[in-house]
Amino acid sequence: MVESEQGLYCPEGGFHLDPLLPVERAVLTHAHGDHARAGSASYLCTPETAALLRRRLEGARVETLRYGERRTIGGVTLSLHPAGHMLGSAQARIEGHSGIWVLSGDYKREPDPTCAAFEPLRCDVFITEATYALPLFRWDEPTSVAREIVAWWQGNAKKTSILFCYALGKAQRLLAEIARIDDRPVWVHGMVEPFAQVYREQGVRLAETRHVGDERGLLGELVLAPITARGTPWMKRFRSFEQAFASGLLRIRGTRRRRGFDRGFVLSDHADWPGLLRTIRETGAERVYAMHGHREALVRYLRELAAIEAAPIGVAQPADPEGD
């Protein structure tokens, strides 16, 4: 694997992985916009990611590869394996003359009712994400976070409870967790509903949703919306409300107060610090590359305290504006 202007490139296979710019052949780890960008001639991903991609990139040429299925491309054998990040998310395992490489993509180790659980893979070289690679990032049990959200909603009988979250992945995970403990419908922003439909088509059970559309007020109701809707004219339809945010960023003390949210719920779809270290250990990799987020901190820890050959790789991307 080498770095190129377009992003990570596999010369033996002739394909890029989650490319930054349009390429001839893109292998995708998942459907989020910072990994699956428009303009490439063709895409290869899991069938579930393809279903989401067709919603996001209309007209894109998409090939699919099921979890565990092996395909020879040029001089390498490629297979995709569950990453536990969101529906269809995958790690890319590449076997060739330079050994076995695994690109994790975004991943987490906590249970998620909307996707297959992360599959540990043995490899020679592991390329891991490092979005939350600091010791302070440790996640609570997801079901307990969902109960906190429902309790907050129930406590706002005379207000609208607006919960901001990522419209693809996080919103559907919340709908699935809420469906386990409450049977009331949840109102959603227009950016959330199309992806919720894809999840249902893939067999994922979600809470009943109702599109906010032209509705006003919605006192006593829970509304899921992307953070990009905050502070826009769309908010004027709610007369009395509380605002909350669901993100791993809320683990940093003072984030909720500084950003002006009434409540904050620590829930991330990325690996926390113990999850990152556990995963790296389980791969048995002799060499580790870290990308995104706090990659320098992870590299320093691996070199100095774990005696693992490590280095940063790829472009250091800014924090996701929607907070993962």
Side-chain angles (χ1 to χ4, degrees):
M1 203 92 69
V2 298
E3 295 186 74
S4 73
E5 182 184 357
Q6 294 85 4
L8 292 181
Y9 179 63
C10 175
E12 285 185 68
F15 56 80
H16 289 79
L17 295 118
D18 292 348
L20 305 169
L21 299 171
V23 298
E24 191 63 28
R25 190 173 206 181
V27 173
L28 300 182
T29 60
H30 63 286
H32 277 150
D34 57 339
H35 291 256
R37 298 173 174 86
S40 289
S42 69
Y43 300 88
L44 178 62
C45 56
T46 65
E48 296 84 357
T49 293
L52 292 164
L53 207 62
R54 292 188 180 105
R55 182 76 64 158
R56 282 198 51 240
L57 307 178
E58 192 173 344
R61 181 182 165 209
V62 184
E63 303 173 77
T64 62
L65 192 64
R66 295 188 304 275
Y67 286 137
E69 182 181 354
R70 294 163 65 89
R71 183 172 299 182
T72 300
I73 304 176
V76 301
T77 300
L78 170 72
S79 56
L80 301 176
H81 302 264
H85 176 62
M86 60 173 287
L87 179 68
S89 60
Q91 306 168 78
R93 181 185 183 276
I94 302 162
E95 186 171 354
H97 291 115
S98 57
I100 298 173
W101 290 57
V102 171
L103 171 68
S104 72
D106 291 345
Y107 67 97
K108 67 175 178 291
R109 305 303 302 265
E110 286 70 28
D112 181 338
T114 69
C115 62
F118 180 91
E119 177 186 342
L121 298 170
R122 302 287 291 183
C123 58
D124 301 306
V125 183
F126 185 49
I127 303 176
T128 179
E129 66 137 322
T131 305
Y132 287 111
L134 290 176
L136 70 91
F137 290 114
R138 294 165 191 267
W139 310 144
D140 298 326
E141 201 275 319
T143 304
S144 68
V145 177
R147 289 198 185 95
E148 290 177 21
I149 292 171
V150 171
W152 169 67
W153 173 18
Q154 291 172 336
N156 284 334
K158 296 182 180 180
K159 296 179 181 178
T160 308
S161 301
I162 305 174
L163 178 55
F164 294 104
C165 57
Y166 204 104
L168 169 57
K170 181 66 66 59
Q172 291 73 31
R173 183 184 180 194
L174 287 166
L175 289 168
E177 293 284 4
I178 290 170
R180 290 172 158 181
I181 52 182
D182 198 298
D183 59 4
R184 287 179 291 172
V186 176
W187 294 77
V188 296
H189 184 277
M191 288 181 64
V192 173
E193 183 61 20
F195 296 125
Q197 290 178 10
V198 175
Y199 271 64
R200 291 191 179 97
E201 290 165 2
Q202 296 297 317
V204 180
R205 179 175 176 263
L206 304 180
E208 179 187 345
T209 51
R210 294 179 183 174
H211 182 205
V212 171
D214 295 326
E215 292 289 334
R216 295 286 187 275
L218 297 176
L219 299 178
E221 304 291 350
L222 174 64
V223 176
L224 299 189
I227 194 68
T228 49
R230 192 181 188 213
T232 68
W234 182 81
M235 294 289 292
K236 293 181 179 178
R237 71 195 64 220
F238 306 111
R239 292 190 296 276
S240 178
F241 58 85
E242 281 199 6
Q243 304 177 72
F245 188 32
S247 168
L249 293 173
L250 274 302
R251 179 56 77 203
I252 301 174
R253 184 175 298 177
T255 298
R256 179 191 62 78
R257 175 177 46 77
R258 286 193 298 273
R259 299 184 66 168
F261 293 106
D262 300 299
R263 284 292 303 269
F265 300 103
V266 181
L267 189 72
S268 177
D269 289 322
H270 294 268
D272 64 2
W273 177 251
L276 288 167
L277 300 186
R278 172 189 168 196
T279 302
I280 290 168
R281 210 167 40 240
E282 289 175 349
T283 66
E286 297 176 353
R287 198 176 349 145
V288 174
Y289 291 105
M291 36 189 332
H292 307 156
H294 300 282
R295 59 181 189 169
E296 282 77 14
L298 179 60
V299 166
R300 188 165 57 250
Y301 176 89
L302 294 175
R303 285 174 177 170
E304 297 177 1
L305 298 177
I308 293 176
E309 181 184 347
I313 195 170
V315 176
Q317 295 180 335
D320 191 319
E322 291 211 350
D324 79 313

